[in-house]
Amino acid sequence: QKKQIKYENNNIKNNNIKNFYTAMYKYIYNIDNYEVDLKKFLQSGQKIYQSIPLKTYVFSDEILNNKKRIKEYKLEKLNYKKDEFLIITSCDINYFNLYGHYILESFKKYHSNINITFIMDIIINKNQKSLDIDNLIKKTNNIKNIDLCLKRTNCENIKAYSSTLRFCRAYYQRENKCLIIDIDSVILKSMKELFLDMNKYDIGTRMLRRRFPWQKYTAGFCFFNNSILSNNILKDIFIFLNNKMRFSEELWWIDQNALVYGIENNTGKEIKIKNYFGSKDKYIISPTGSTESKIKFLKSKIDHKKEKFMLPNKTPNKTVNNSNFAVLAVIFIGLVIFGVVIFFLLKKQKKKK
């Protein structure tokens, strides 16, 4: 009887997981009613790794509160000339210390004398010393067209928060053309060509085919022209974030879901979208992999001997040098083997005596 119950439970579990993948298959191949299977999966309470982004997914029959606002997304609008182009990113203090130097140095290299401004919103704990912040501002005071904005908070779920704040910044600055990027990137050439090319479109991003809903568009590289349609998309993204952000639970891909919602909530309005799949990397590269491998790549693309942009933090991310551990491990194993060999040789010699 116990075996039968276990068998039946496994069958139920497998059927629930099947509902998830059936829904994803239908979505990828444009088959109607994929949301029916998705709802069945959610109602089961079953959880799998791939389904975590569903926490912030918006179903077609769901209505968001367009008046809801949360304090964490309230920003002060920065004033620029209408023809000023903006590159926008956001991060927490740890990510800034790891990657901020490389993106800022590469930006300076190609944008010192053109009308493109780099805006970076840095999330800082409320207990951070003001002296540290003053030192950072002093370092950037004399750098033309770089604006660092500091956002103090004690909220949890910093990763999700920092990945979404850049979209709120773009919403506040929607009178200008905005390009949103990831901080762990390096710029390879002037973005002016990209901004001029985008005059023909409402939005631009890297688009992927045959992916889950939250993988369709790339939140780490998306352009918003200051057209009526692109502003509508930014507004819907802003509404989405104010409704869906949760600071007390783990959220993955919320920025991607927000972008999907913003675009697909405006389908049928003749949106002109530029797909930068295949051409994004000629402007900017965002390496993947471990922290060490990403930093190694970013260093190879800029003059890393210059003084780094750093904001001291009492609890920085501790990166581990795996190569050092590997060397020590090899030495340790070698000594152990050597000791064992000597032990048996001595033992053998005693027996002969």
Side-chain angles (χ1 to χ4, degrees), residues 231-269:
N231 285 347
N232 285 344
I233 292 168
L234 276 173
K235 182 181 178 182
D236 284 332
I237 290 172
F238 188 66
I239 290 169
F240 172 99
L241 293 174
N242 278 278
N243 278 265
K244 288 292 184 176
M245 183 62 192
R246 301 288 182 272
F247 292 99
S248 58
E249 56 185 293
E250 187 179 37
L251 297 177
W252 289 4
W253 298 72
I254 181 173
D255 54 340
Q256 300 275 135
N257 271 334
L259 183 58
V260 170
Y261 176 78
I263 293 172
E264 298 194 351
N265 203 42
N266 287 276
T267 52
K269 298 178 182 177

Side-chain angles (χ1 to χ4, degrees), residues 54 57 60 131 211 245 259-260 262 266 275 281 304 336 349:
L54 283 177
Y57 180 78
S60 58
L131 179 62
R211 293 290 195 276
M245 183 62 192
L259 183 58
V260 170
N266 287 276
N275 185 1
D281 287 354
H304 58 273
V336 171
Q349 201 171 19

Side-chain angles (χ1 to χ4, degrees), residues 35-227:
E35 286 191 351
V36 173
D37 299 288
L38 213 50
K39 284 182 178 180
K40 285 180 183 176
F41 171 77
L42 288 173
Q43 286 164 4
S44 72
Q46 188 78 38
K47 293 179 182 179
I48 56 175
Y49 170 82
Q50 293 88 343
S51 70
I52 294 176
L54 283 177
K55 286 182 181 180
T56 57
Y57 180 78
V58 178
F59 286 89
S60 58
D61 59 354
E62 186 177 352
I63 299 173
L64 300 183
N65 181 355
N66 60 12
K67 293 183 178 179
K68 184 177 180 180
R69 299 290 182 267
I70 57 176
K71 63 180 181 180
E72 286 81 8
Y73 287 140
K74 186 176 181 181
L75 296 171
E76 183 180 342
K77 182 180 178 293
L78 304 175
N79 295 315
Y80 301 103
K81 292 179 180 178
K82 287 272 187 176
D83 62 344
E84 188 81 5
F85 302 137
L86 306 179
I87 298 175
I88 298 172
T89 192
S90 56
C91 61
D92 66 13
I93 182 176
N94 291 322
Y95 255 64
F96 177 82
N97 279 338
L98 285 170
Y99 304 113
H101 169 64
Y102 308 106
I103 190 67
L104 290 173
E105 282 297 338
S106 61
F107 172 80
K108 280 169 56 184
K109 182 176 180 180
Y110 298 107
H111 303 91
S112 58
N113 295 309
I114 53 180
N115 61 329
I116 298 179
T117 294
F118 191 104
I119 305 174
M120 185 185 293
D121 284 284
I122 306 169
I123 298 170
I124 298 174
N125 189 285
K126 281 188 175 180
N127 298 323
Q128 184 74 36
K129 287 183 180 179
S130 59
L131 179 62
D132 297 336
I133 298 166
D134 292 340
N135 288 338
L136 174 64
I137 297 300
K138 283 176 184 176
K139 282 185 181 181
T140 56
N141 264 349
N142 298 322
I143 301 174
K144 186 183 176 183
N145 56 0
I146 292 179
D147 286 330
L148 300 185
C149 306
L150 305 167
K151 182 74 173 175
R152 289 185 175 276
T153 182
N154 280 334
C155 72
E156 298 177 11
N157 207 1
I158 291 296
K159 284 187 179 180
Y161 180 37
S162 62
S163 72
T164 55
L165 193 61
R166 52 190 173 170
F167 285 93
C168 297
R169 171 59 66 191
Y171 172 71
Y172 278 91
Q173 309 298 152
R174 61 191 179 278
E175 292 178 6
N176 295 81
K177 292 176 171 64
C178 300
L179 173 67
I180 291 176
I181 62 171
D182 288 330
I183 186 174
D184 50 347
S185 307
V186 63
I187 294 170
L188 303 177
K189 61 184 293 188
S190 170
M191 293 288 189
K192 190 163 187 177
E193 177 189 327
L194 172 70
F195 278 96
L196 293 175
D197 178 55
M198 277 304 303
N199 282 328
K200 310 167 194 172
Y201 306 94
D202 296 300
I203 62 169
T205 185
R206 188 184 67 159
M207 298 166 64
L208 303 175
R209 294 181 60 210
R210 297 184 177 178
R211 293 290 195 276
F212 290 175
W214 43 86
Q215 297 172 324
K216 189 173 180 180
Y217 306 108
T218 304
F221 184 86
C222 51
F223 184 101
F224 296 91
N225 203 339
N226 54 347
S227 66

Side-chain angles (χ1 to χ4, degrees), residues 2-15:
K2 285 182 179 179
K3 284 185 178 179
Q4 179 67 22
I5 291 170
K6 187 176 180 181
Y7 175 77
E8 288 176 0
N9 287 340
N10 283 336
N11 267 352
I12 293 169
K13 183 178 179 181
N14 291 335
N15 283 334

